[in-house]
Amino acid sequence: MQIQIAIPDNVAHSLEAKWGSLERKLLEMLVIAAYQEGSLSAGKVREMLGMSTRLEVDAFLKEKGVYLHYDEADFEQDVSTMRRLEQEGQLKR
């Protein structure tokens, strides 16, 4: 979908001088807001911004002052994975 907005030329030129591409800046702002409210996953952020890895997404979000969603379920999954790797001898302390 393409969305068009009308911005006075003088405002657009001023913002472009500060931000660069307005199209990219607006896309980033939309993606950040949607991620923060839980409407977009990190994978969708990666896809929408054309990034190749999750690390790029993490760095982008951190640069913008947005931190990854990490809840109790994520923590439990990490603990479970760590225990399994320890049992398999793939993780050493």
Side-chain angles (χ1 to χ4, degrees):
M1 172 187 296
Q2 291 200 342
I3 299 171
Q4 294 182 345
I5 61 169
I7 300 174
D9 287 342
N10 62 331
V11 173
H13 293 304
S14 174
L15 292 174
E16 282 181 331
K18 184 175 181 177
W19 293 340
S21 168
L22 288 183
E23 183 177 334
R24 178 65 182 195
K25 181 68 172 184
L26 290 171
L27 176 62
E28 288 177 357
M29 292 169 71
L30 173 73
V31 165
I32 288 168
Y35 178 79
Q36 286 179 309
E37 73 175 25
S39 295
L40 281 183
S41 67
K44 284 295 180 189
V45 169
R46 182 181 55 77
E47 181 182 323
M48 288 185 68
L49 297 180
M51 296 177 174
S52 3
T53 68
R54 173 68 186 253
L55 292 175
E56 284 180 85
V57 173
D58 293 353
F60 168 78
L61 292 173
K62 183 177 179 184
E63 176 185 308
K64 303 299 182 187
V66 178
Y67 297 94
L68 299 175
H69 298 293
Y70 191 81
D71 59 17
E72 190 174 335
D74 295 322
F75 176 74
E76 292 298 328
Q77 179 64 42
D78 287 346
V79 169
S80 175
T81 300
M82 183 186 75
R83 287 183 179 144
R84 180 181 52 80
L85 291 173
E86 281 179 330
Q87 289 174 350
E88 294 173 359
Q90 295 181 29
L91 183 66
K92 302 200 187 318
R93 288 186 174 192

